[in-house]
Amino acid sequence: MPLTFHNTYARLPDQFFSHQPAADIPAPVMLKLNQALADRLGIGAATLDNANGAAFLSGAAFPEGAEPVAMAYAGHQFGNFVPQLGDGRALLLGEVLAPDGTRFDIHLKGSGRTQFSRGGDGKAVLGPVLREYLIGEAMAALGIPTTRALAAVLTGETVWREEPEPGAVLARVAASHIRVGTFQFFYVRQDFEALRRLLDYAIERHYPQAASADVPALAFLGAVMARQAALVARWMGVGFIHGVMNTDNMAISGETIDYGPCAFMDIYDPGTVYSSIDQMGRYAYANQPRIAHWNLAQLAQSLLPLVPGEPEAAANALQGVVDGFPALYDGEWLAVFGRKIGLAAPAPEDQAMIEDLLALMADAKADFTLAFRHLTRALATDNWQDIEATLAAAPDFADWRHRWLARLGADRALAVKAMVGANPAFIPRNHRVEAALQAARNGDLSVFEHLLAILSRPYAEQPENAAFEAPPGPGEAVQATFCGT
Ligand code: AMP
Ligand code: MG
């Protein structure tokens, strides 16, 4: 199957991007190709798993019909507005249509300098590339909307970071790469014609129903908010901490994007931060819904010129939509955490019971993932040993259990089923991820492959891999994660 590109983004006006020539990459070698994803895209692994594929997916050579561009965007980074960011080390290779008609971007991260590189070298290195591959694929297997990894390609270069590292490129697939920051880019330039084009394009591609609304910009904002509320609630449900929720890292499509210093929490603590660059804890676990709300308010502001009427009335209308975020999020949170305790249709009164359990977990310094999985197994088998041990430091668990079982009633099988599908046994634990990356740096990809295979079935019982459920042992815990850019 040939690679057929549809370059709709490249048809937008010039301000949206800069055209990009092929990169000077000395020796591209395919390190890891995601065969299943290539098949899903209708590309066929055979098209890519060769020297041509390595050249295409690193940016060393462009396939016929591709019209690669570096996309322009702005963004708030840790609350500070930067009017021009853009693809400084990335490239939109083009769009492909999957056999089911869905349009996807193929995007290369680490393919070299662009017009947006500022001081950077435009490159990426092996560790962060494999990290994004692993965590993105784990998220996909967890059922959480995300960009996907199509390939990791070695460039044959040595790239200097803290120390010399093998250069690499990640080819990733996304519903699109339009970000909150893309809207901000045109808003801050007061290029309202381009802003209008961007809105029309984003609506057509992601929220076609908004086109026929009274005020498409308001309907679009509401639709983006609904997806972000659902997304962040799903993150919270698996203990995921994005780490860099800047407005340029929030996709309009509602997919998780830009895996940098992200991490999954081990011990449950709402204040958990891993990212070494997040000194103030702005993007701590429990802050994520608030930050999503704040980011969406920035999107709303950028949409102001596209809402008809007096500016004040338009601003009020946008504010009215944005103000709906907490309620949207609370509903999604309740649905996610309700399932985690076996309630397929939780009621608002159930919120207190969920919060009480989380408080017990915090008191006991319980491992977030393991506690819910043990609770699931306890309900399934009526053996309460493991969960009691996990929450031993929280003696009120016996009371909680009593309330919970009363709430579940007789039909425990249904509750167990909900819980098995909502409480993963296997998440990309930081110490396992680090071990996989370290082995890969030493030329051994087998640890990565093994971990990837385990994470592709996160909800399944895998007794042979039980060790991968375990939290880090003493001295194994990863304290901080790095962007590696
Ligand atoms: P990120 O924090 O990865 O979301 O990136 C923020 C901004 O920095 C984006 O505009 C990136 O393109 C840019 N950037 C990150 N790393 C590099 C690099 N090595 N070279 C050039 N630009 C970069
Ligand atoms: Mg980014």
Side-chain angles (χ1 to χ4, degrees):
M1 277 267 231
L3 258 173
T4 309
F5 285 102
H6 303 259
N7 304 308
T8 62
Y9 206 81
R11 296 282 76 75
L12 290 167
D14 286 346
Q15 315 82 297
F16 281 70
F17 49 74
S18 72
H19 290 283
Q20 187 66 23
D24 186 14
I25 291 180
V29 172
M30 185 66 73
L31 180 64
K32 173 70 187 167
L33 179 66
N34 189 340
Q35 313 247 359
L37 182 59
D39 286 341
R40 222 196 111 202
L41 296 176
I43 300 171
T47 309
L48 295 175
D49 205 3
N50 51 44
N52 273 342
F56 293 162
L57 296 182
S58 62
F62 294 150
E64 213 179 297
E67 211 178 311
V69 296
M71 298 167 78
Y73 55 84
H76 277 92
Q77 299 188 305
F78 292 90
N80 303 307
F81 186 66
V82 184
Q84 180 167 310
L85 291 165
D87 284 337
R89 54 157 169 181
L91 201 55
L92 172 60
L93 190 58
E95 300 141 34
V96 293
L97 292 180
D100 67 2
T102 318
R103 180 180 299 272
F104 290 102
D105 281 0
I106 299 184
H107 202 249
L108 308 179
K109 194 163 170 179
S111 49
R113 286 182 56 80
T114 74
Q115 191 190 297
F116 304 107
S117 296
R118 296 172 292 162
D121 60 5
K123 291 172 185 167
V125 297
L126 183 63
V129 163
L130 290 181
R131 195 162 202 283
E132 174 153 358
Y133 194 121
L134 206 49
I135 299 184
E137 288 306 290
M139 291 286 267
L142 287 164
I144 299 177
T146 177
T147 62
R148 301 279 309 263
L150 179 59
V153 182
L154 287 168
T155 61
E157 270 182 316
T158 298
V159 176
W160 192 264
R161 290 293 184 258
E162 315 273 271
E163 48 189 337
E165 305 254 8
V169 175
L170 178 78
R172 73 176 175 197
V173 171
S176 88
H177 285 80
I178 304 170
R179 307 141 191 268
V180 168
T182 318
F183 284 85
Q184 293 180 289
F185 180 85
F186 295 113
Y187 175 72
V188 71
R189 284 169 180 70
Q190 301 203 13
D191 185 349
F192 301 149
E193 183 46 39
L195 194 62
R196 158 79 53 200
R197 289 289 298 273
L198 177 62
L199 177 67
D200 290 347
Y201 181 89
I203 285 180
E204 187 182 340
R205 190 156 170 184
H206 297 299
Y207 303 100
Q209 71 287 358
S212 53
D214 280 349
V215 183
L218 293 178
F220 169 75
L221 177 63
V224 173
M225 279 174 42
R227 288 215 199 151
Q228 284 296 336
L231 179 67
V232 175
R234 303 290 304 270
W235 290 355
M236 301 302 277
V238 294
F240 176 75
I241 305 166
H242 183 285
V244 225
M245 284 180 73
N246 295 333
T247 55
D248 53 304
N249 292 336
M250 183 182 260
I252 289 303
S253 67
E255 290 180 331
T256 312
I257 188 174
D258 274 2
Y259 294 93
C262 61
F264 283 69
M265 176 165 66
D266 292 306
I267 291 170
Y268 176 64
D269 172 358
T272 305
V273 178
Y274 285 103
S275 168
S276 59
I277 55 172
D278 191 2
Q279 305 278 334
M280 309 289 289
R282 179 178 170 91
Y283 300 140
Y285 172 78
N287 272 353
Q288 297 185 118
R290 265 193 296 279
I291 292 291
H293 189 189
W294 190 88
N295 288 350
L296 290 161
Q298 308 312 312
L299 175 63
Q301 180 172 1
S302 297
L303 294 172
L304 187 61
L306 304 181
V307 177
E310 292 299 315
E312 201 184 317
N316 286 338
L318 285 160
Q319 190 65 48
V321 178
V322 170
D323 288 346
F325 185 81
L328 274 176
Y329 173 77
D330 288 349
E332 296 288 351
W333 183 92
L334 186 63
V336 166
F337 279 82
R339 274 196 303 278
K340 288 181 79 68
I341 62 163
L343 302 173
E349 308 83 81
D350 294 318
Q351 185 173 333
M353 188 160 57
I354 299 166
E355 281 169 354
D356 290 348
L357 175 63
L358 290 170
L360 293 178
M361 284 168 51
D363 280 353
K365 298 197 177 356
D367 180 85
F368 181 79
T369 305
L370 213 48
F372 280 106
R373 192 69 181 186
H374 282 331
L375 194 67
T376 307
R377 290 183 179 128
L379 190 70
T381 61
D382 210 21
N383 176 345
W384 297 83
Q385 242 171 355
D386 285 341
I387 184 64
E388 277 169 359
T390 305
L391 296 179
D396 292 345
F397 176 64
D399 283 348
W400 186 88
R401 181 176 95 173
H402 190 74
R403 271 164 71 202
W404 180 49
L405 294 178
R407 169 68 177 91
L408 291 182
D411 195 357
R412 292 201 190 167
L414 213 64
V416 169
K417 193 157 173 266
M419 290 179 76
V420 168
N423 294 314
F426 301 97
I427 53 155
R429 291 189 182 271
N430 304 315
H431 65 298
R432 292 290 183 182
V433 172
E434 287 313 314
L437 303 190
Q438 196 48 50
R441 283 189 203 101
N442 295 330
D444 173 10
L445 203 62
S446 68
V447 184
F448 171 89
E449 293 279 12
H450 185 215
L451 186 57
L452 186 65
I454 293 169
L455 296 173
S456 71
R457 297 161 55 229
Y459 300 104
E461 291 291 348
Q462 302 181 44
E464 68 285 13
N465 295 316
F468 284 79
E469 287 185 24
E476 274 185 323
V478 171
Q479 309 295 346
T481 52
F482 300 87
C483 265
T485 52

